[in-house]
Amino acid sequence: MAGLSIRLSEGDRLVINGAAIQVESDTRLRITNKVNILFGDQIMSPEDANTPARRIYFAIQNFHVSNLEEREKALEGARYFIDAFRSETTSHHAKALLDIALEEMKAANGYAALRVAQRIIRHEDAVLGGTEDKTEKNA
């Protein structure tokens, strides 16, 4: 049977189409239809969205797992953080990544946009030297 097979351990988290699930015991799942899913370290908590790039990731994450009624509002939220980052950065590389992330979201490719957001986080970390408090610096 085709699909996505994932192994989860006790305490792992996953989100399927916006439903937050906490795993109580080791399990293996096979997802056989198209769903918007995140699990493990793909899921960012609100507390971890503590830099401009991480706020973009968190907003895109919300877009990715939102239902159709929530999707436009989630896109607006992500666009707000993308525009804020764009206005503060001088990096052409970062601006190109922001454009790609936004285009992926417009095409309803939330997971692809998340992968680009991970690249934006890596770029931010590299520019800022991996310091803890990155919220007041420009990336």
Side-chain angles (χ1 to χ4, degrees), residues 83-131:
D83 289 346
F85 194 105
R86 177 187 307 288
S87 70
E88 295 296 323
T89 189
T90 58
S91 168
H92 297 293
H93 178 66
K95 289 179 181 184
L97 291 174
L98 294 169
D99 290 342
I100 294 167
L102 193 54
E103 288 304 313
E104 291 291 2
M105 291 178 67
K106 287 178 184 176
N109 296 326
Y111 191 76
L114 280 172
R115 292 183 53 96
V116 175
Q118 289 171 333
R119 294 174 59 196
I120 296 167
I121 289 171
R122 287 193 301 271
H123 178 75
E124 178 184 67
D125 287 347
V127 168
L128 299 177
T131 60

Side-chain angles (χ1 to χ4, degrees), residues 5 8 11 17 37 45 60-61 77 88 102 104 106 111 125:
S5 180
L8 300 163
N17 287 346
I37 184 170
S45 69
I60 294 173
Q61 170 184 283
E88 295 296 323
L102 193 54
E104 291 291 2
K106 287 178 184 176
Y111 191 76
D125 287 347

